[in-house]
Amino acid sequence: MIVEFVSLHVSLCVLGIILSVYALHVELEKEKNKNYVAFCDFSDRMSCTKAFASYYGKGFGLVQRIVGEGSILVQPNSILGIIFYILQLVLGHIGGYLCVQLLFYSSVLSCLGCVWLAYVLFVILDDTCVVCISTYAVNFAIMFVNYQMWAVL
């Protein structure tokens, strides 16, 4: 049973990396070319570019308030996502009870971030971002799998 969870965990992490790399690509292209239209931009109210390029697209819109706009800590959310998914893959590969706990608690933290970003997306930005929502789903699925792996140990 644990083998199925590990395989699913790896698949979800790879999907998360793909989504995050695409999000980073869209953000960087938009910075270079203001007229860039991404595949995930369907309308004014259904646009991933709007979300990625917003104030909240870097540091969750929170880090800037703490360390200032110019800090190296203010990175695109997609980079934070890539780091998160790689961390999940590495800890999942190492295994052991401590790593499983870290996997679960870091995924809970990522889901809290998703709840914040979903609020920002739907309420503050009045937008729908297919890539963002897909990432939220991946993060909640990873948390569920991590919980299942923890429960088995």
Side-chain angles (χ1 to χ4, degrees):
M1 183 165 171
I2 193 87
V3 173
E4 290 86 10
F5 288 133
V6 170
S7 297
L8 181 56
H9 184 261
V10 168
S11 299
L12 288 167
C13 289
V14 169
L15 179 57
I17 289 170
I18 291 168
L19 289 167
S20 296
V21 167
Y22 178 70
L24 182 61
H25 165 74
V26 169
E27 187 171 346
L28 294 175
E29 285 297 318
K30 188 65 175 180
E31 285 178 5
K32 286 193 298 189
N33 177 6
K34 297 297 178 195
N35 296 322
Y36 175 74
V37 178
F39 290 121
C40 53
D41 289 341
F42 301 108
S43 70
D44 288 341
R45 291 192 45 165
M46 193 170 198
S47 167
C48 60
T49 305
K50 180 178 176 183
F52 302 152
S54 77
Y55 176 78
Y56 301 94
K58 290 187 177 160
F60 292 84
L62 301 172
V63 176
Q64 306 87 306
R65 295 176 186 200
I66 298 167
V67 298
E69 289 285 339
S71 173
I72 193 166
L73 298 175
V74 180
Q75 295 295 319
N77 295 341
S78 53
I79 289 181
L80 301 175
I82 292 167
I83 292 168
F84 168 73
Y85 297 120
I86 290 172
L87 176 68
Q88 286 283 311
L89 284 172
V90 169
L91 287 174
H93 181 71
I94 294 172
Y97 189 72
L98 179 61
C99 285
V100 171
Q101 283 185 313
L102 288 171
L103 284 169
F104 176 68
Y105 288 121
S106 64
S107 61
V108 168
L109 187 60
S110 79
C111 289
L112 291 174
C114 288
V115 170
W116 164 249
L117 290 175
Y119 170 78
V120 167
L121 182 66
F122 296 122
V123 176
I124 297 174
L125 298 177
D126 192 28
D127 190 26
T128 303
C129 168
V130 175
V131 175
C132 302
I133 295 168
S134 299
T135 303
Y136 306 157
V138 167
N139 287 353
F140 277 95
I142 287 174
M143 183 181 71
F144 175 77
V145 169
N146 286 337
Y147 176 76
Q148 294 301 318
M149 288 193 297
W150 189 16
V152 169
L153 292 181

